[in-house]
Amino acid sequence: MNLMDEAPDAGLLALFESPDDLVHAIEKVKKQRYRKVEAYTPFPIHEVIHALGIKRSKIPWGTLFMCLLGGTLGFGMQAWMNGISWPINVAGKPFISAPAFVPITFELTVLIGGISTVVLLFLMCGLPNRHKAVLDHRLTDDLFGLYVEKSDPRFNEGELQGIFRDCHVKEIKNFGD
Amino acid sequence: MSTQVLLNPLEEEPLIAPDKIYGDVTHDVCKPLESFPTKMWWIAFLSALVLFSFGARMVSITIADGIGTWGLNNPVGWAVDITTFVFWIGIGHAGTLISAILLLFRQKWRTAINRSAEAMTIFAVMTAGMFPLLHTGRPWYACFWLFPYPNQRGLWVNFKSPLLWDVFAVSTYLTISLLFWYLGLIPDIASVRDRAKNKIRRTIYTILSFGWRGSARNWNHYEIVCLILAGLSTPLVLSVHTIVSFDFAVSILPGWHTTIFPPYFVAGAIFSGFAMVVTLLVIAREVFGLKDYIQIKHLENMNKVMLLTGMMVGYAYIIEFFTAWYSGNLYERFIFINRATGPYWWAYWTMMTCNVISPQIFWFKKLRRNLAVMFVVSIVINIGMWFERFVIIVTSLHRDYLPASWGYYRMTIYEVAMLVGSFGFFFIFFLLFCRFMPTIAMFEVKSIMKLKSNEV
């Protein structure tokens, strides 16, 4: 089985030892109006996400919708099954007894909302990722990487190397021709 | 380090040993996963296996012969099975509290302990789930009785029953906790994958990590999803034990029929869960050499939570007694006086001593920072919390309205085996988890580290 072994798109990877250096490098690269820029970090860093100009995730809207749907379906299921399809008289309560349906309505709100949130995350992040290779094994350990693709119209290797060196780069890796 | 703390009491105590750098975290946490298990691990694992086999053998007899093998009798139709179910569900609450509520409150100290606490939650809920299934007598039919599915008779489950609410509450709790826990594991499994030297190992961890690469765009979504799941889990934690308490509170039995049950059960659940986390972490930090990450400060904070929730539980014990007396309801009053002085006085006073008195020693800073003391107290608290459920369930049942039908319940060896076996079952999973998964949320610990180079 060969997983995660596809060669990455041609580009230049700079590896930094400190997140601050990475942020500075991103700011400089962005100033030169590079577009195809991505950062790889071992843990989430807000400054990095901010410097790259990534917009706030839209996933919460999906969660909200699915929670409302889950709650509605949850209540509807109970009302239909116990009130319409086969009405059951339990201690003289109404067939559709809203207070008694609250716990399961709540649980299904959370259940359906939660599962869909994770499904949305997988869709948005392209997981499971079977092909794209890891650019460097230390990126999930202690190094912070900046990747600029060569297909970027403004790609200029000399300029980038200069920027990276200014930001105390530890290592530069060249992918593709 | 400790002298430094004493010199300046206002300075915040570090959560990680101060000389650590990012690479050390990965190295230290992954080390136990990358070497052959230690002798300590094998001893623990084999002991758990023995306990579990004993339980499994006895449970197989129970399944073959029926639950007549248990000590249940006419007034006491619910006993150790449901007691242990509530006990294990309660244990689970600490994990979700640490991972969800403390995340929302931005408590940084949660990072070193949340992973193992969440794992504990999942295994505890799995363990708990077995008891109601076994109590049905024919567990292989249970899924047909418990879940609404279209069937030939067109008949549905009864949604007005608290027992069914429980089914939904517990299965939602398990699912969401599992998602939350596994989601947190993905970046760390990716770290383990990228350290793997051998191909089979790398393939396995690649599959388990879903090919996570840690790009900034992915982290952006990831962080918000963790926050959402925390937001969803927070009311869920409070709801699960609330709904478990409805099993009792919605009935009209004296001793069960009280409105104080939901908050009282939730406080008790957090109390027992934290005690279990302390028991496990005191052992795990020794065995896996994680003292630099799970510091005394973490354990001390958990002891403080135990002190607080212990007093909430104590308050509930006293106020329900008071209410029973003040209500003027003779049956209610009788049940409570009977609890303290009747045939089960020993269970009641075990509960009171373990849960109300023993945590009080955490008022003393020296004692709540002492490993031996907290280890013993955490076990004592869990014994007490098991007895709490036993007292609530059995003492309310054994003497009902009609003195002619009063009885006494005794555990049989089958029930003892089931209780003991449940610990074996739980520990097997927990030990396997410690062996194959990073027990500390590495990426979260790295994100709260203050490196010298960053401070300049």
Side-chain angles (χ1 to χ4, degrees):
Chain A
M1 209 175 351
N2 287 320
L3 292 165
M4 295 181 80
D5 58 351
E6 191 180 79
D9 298 329
L12 210 56
L13 174 74
L15 294 166
F16 301 93
E17 276 179 317
S18 137
D20 296 345
D21 292 336
L22 171 67
V23 174
H24 292 152
I26 295 173
E27 280 164 357
K28 286 186 183 165
V29 168
K30 277 282 180 186
K31 217 177 205 168
Q32 299 300 323
R33 286 185 282 143
Y34 282 90
R35 287 230 183 106
K36 298 196 167 179
V37 184
E38 179 64 290
Y40 294 89
T41 53
F43 54 88
I45 305 167
H46 293 158
E47 291 82 358
V48 169
I49 295 172
H50 188 72
L52 283 169
I54 299 171
K55 288 199 190 92
R56 193 184 151 88
S57 171
K58 295 267 192 306
I59 291 180
W61 293 105
T63 307
L64 176 66
F65 176 77
M66 291 309 285
C67 279
L68 293 174
L69 184 72
T72 316
L73 287 177
F75 190 90
M77 172 185 79
Q78 299 177 77
W80 181 75
M81 288 179 181
N82 273 188
I84 296 163
S85 171
W86 188 305
I88 304 180
N89 184 341
V90 178
K93 293 185 191 99
F95 292 130
I96 297 174
S97 164
F101 294 164
V102 167
I104 293 182
T105 306
F106 168 76
E107 296 299 336
L108 287 176
T109 307
V110 170
L111 182 69
I112 294 178
I115 293 177
S116 355
T117 308
V118 174
V119 171
L120 281 173
L121 174 74
F122 271 59
L123 291 176
M124 301 296 273
C125 295
L127 301 177
N129 153 37
R130 284 163 59 204
H131 305 297
K132 284 185 199 158
V134 176
L135 297 175
D136 191 285
H137 288 312
R138 292 161 293 177
L139 286 175
T140 52
D141 180 8
D142 60 348
L143 290 186
F144 303 84
L146 179 59
Y147 194 66
V148 184
E149 282 182 26
K150 288 189 180 164
S151 54
D152 191 298
R154 294 191 49 89
F155 189 85
N156 177 338
E157 193 168 334
E159 183 186 52
L160 282 172
Q161 298 249 12
I163 293 177
F164 294 159
R165 244 173 264 124
D166 284 349
C167 299
H168 322 287
V169 70
K170 180 187 162 77
E171 200 181 310
I172 297 177
K173 281 168 101 176
N174 201 334
F175 290 96
D177 15 75
Chain B
M1 190 190 78
S2 53
T3 49
Q4 204 185 349
V5 173
L6 289 176
L7 284 175
N8 185 358
L10 292 179
E11 196 179 301
E12 215 175 303
E13 197 178 332
L15 292 171
I16 310 156
D19 50 344
K20 294 287 174 188
I21 54 170
Y22 295 130
D24 291 342
V25 179
T26 330
H27 178 260
D28 295 348
V29 176
C30 292
K31 204 166 52 182
L33 320 182
E34 289 165 351
S35 49
F36 192 74
T38 56
K39 207 187 254 173
M40 281 288 286
W41 187 88
W42 279 112
I43 293 173
F45 187 72
L46 290 175
S47 328
L49 211 58
V50 168
L51 292 185
F52 173 69
S53 319
F54 174 51
R57 172 74 190 119
M58 294 312 230
V59 163
S60 66
I61 297 176
T62 295
I63 291 175
D65 293 357
I67 55 171
T69 51
W70 297 353
L72 302 178
N73 54 39
N74 199 359
V76 188
W78 265 13
V80 165
D81 47 345
I82 305 300
T83 301
T84 318
F85 162 73
V86 181
F87 171 79
W88 279 114
I89 291 281
I91 295 285
H93 279 56
T96 333
L97 183 95
I98 291 171
S99 59
I101 299 182
L102 296 186
L103 176 75
L104 295 183
F105 285 140
R106 308 254 179 238
Q107 291 294 308
K108 285 183 179 169
W109 62 274
R110 64 178 273 289
T111 52
I113 53 171
N114 66 341
R115 173 72 44 75
S116 40
E118 285 169 36
M120 181 198 78
T121 294
I122 289 154
F123 306 143
V125 176
M126 280 163 48
T127 313
M130 294 192 304
F131 289 89
L133 293 184
L134 286 173
H135 198 172
T136 62
R138 284 178 284 174
W140 55 94
Y141 283 141
C143 61
F144 299 119
W145 297 329
L146 299 178
F147 289 102
Y149 74 103
N151 55 57
Q152 242 177 356
R153 294 153 293 157
L155 188 64
W156 306 105
V157 286
N158 173 17
F159 290 110
K160 288 163 201 151
S161 159
L163 296 180
L164 193 70
W165 304 346
D166 234 12
V167 173
F168 278 82
V170 172
S171 46
T172 301
Y173 187 44
L174 180 64
T175 315
I176 298 291
S177 307
L178 195 65
L179 286 177
F180 202 6
W181 173 71
Y182 200 82
L183 200 63
L185 268 169
I186 288 176
D188 282 357
I189 296 177
S191 301
V192 178
R193 170 198 73 203
D194 290 346
R195 286 168 59 86
K197 302 222 164 50
N198 126 4
K199 183 147 191 259
I200 299 170
R201 187 180 169 85
R202 180 171 307 143
T203 310
I204 292 172
Y205 281 102
T206 303
I207 295 169
L208 292 176
S209 71
F210 293 104
W212 176 262
R213 291 158 83 229
S215 73
R217 281 171 180 79
N218 286 4
W219 279 121
N220 185 38
H221 292 302
Y222 181 90
E223 272 221 295
I224 207 122
V225 165
C226 284
L227 215 54
I228 289 178
L229 285 184
L232 287 173
S233 303
T234 300
L236 192 64
V237 189
L238 304 179
S239 83
V240 174
H241 233 54
T242 298
I243 292 177
V244 168
S245 82
F246 285 164
D247 289 350
F248 308 102
V250 170
S251 75
I252 51 161
L253 197 74
W256 285 2
H257 184 59
T258 46
T259 46
I260 199 179
F261 263 19
Y264 157 27
F265 268 53
V266 171
I270 293 165
F271 184 46
S272 67
F274 269 70
M276 187 60 115
V277 178
V278 168
T279 314
L280 291 175
L281 287 186
V282 167
I283 302 173
R285 73 198 281 276
E286 261 343 291
V287 174
F288 296 106
L290 298 170
K291 288 179 196 168
D292 289 337
Y293 303 95
I294 303 169
Q295 303 239 13
I296 297 287
K297 165 92 176 163
H298 295 100
L299 299 168
E300 187 192 0
N301 281 350
M302 285 192 280
N303 291 339
K304 285 180 182 167
V305 175
M306 272 146 69
L307 177 60
L308 173 73
T309 48
M311 285 191 295
M312 286 160 80
V313 168
Y315 171 78
Y317 295 162
I318 293 164
I319 206 73
E320 70 174 350
F321 214 120
F322 172 78
T323 314
W325 167 75
Y326 193 64
S327 70
N329 180 329
L330 289 179
Y331 298 101
E332 193 76 26
R333 194 183 292 177
F334 169 78
I335 275 288
F336 277 88
I337 295 172
N338 181 48
R339 263 184 197 175
T341 60
Y344 285 108
W345 64 271
W346 51 273
Y348 183 82
W349 292 106
T350 308
M351 163 188 103
M352 278 301 214
T353 319
C354 296
N355 294 348
V356 185
I357 298 169
S358 79
Q360 300 307 322
I361 65 164
F362 288 143
W363 283 107
F364 304 99
K365 187 162 185 162
K366 268 234 171 79
L367 295 176
R368 69 170 179 258
R369 291 176 70 93
N370 183 313
L371 286 172
V373 170
M374 70 175 88
F375 185 69
V376 172
V377 171
S378 69
I379 291 174
V380 167
I381 288 173
N382 264 325
I383 294 173
M385 284 309 292
W386 188 86
F387 272 100
E388 178 198 296
R389 281 67 176 247
F390 182 83
V391 165
I392 292 172
I393 294 166
V394 175
T395 65
S396 305
L397 287 169
H398 84 290
R399 289 190 166 176
D400 62 8
Y401 296 100
L402 194 64
S405 68
W406 286 2
Y408 193 81
Y409 161 82
R410 273 184 198 84
M411 273 172 101
T412 64
I413 183 73
Y414 296 94
E415 286 161 302
V416 175
M418 202 165 65
L419 173 61
V420 167
S422 73
F423 278 90
F425 183 80
F426 173 79
F427 277 104
I428 286 176
F429 279 100
F430 194 79
L431 287 162
L432 287 175
F433 155 73
C434 291
R435 189 62 204 91
F436 292 107
M437 292 289 166
T439 39
I440 287 182
M442 296 186 278
F443 82 91
E444 289 193 58
V445 168
K446 286 175 196 166
S447 70
I448 62 158
M449 282 170 82
K450 286 179 192 146
L451 294 195
K452 283 201 183 79
S453 61
N454 293 4
E455 283 166 9
V456 178

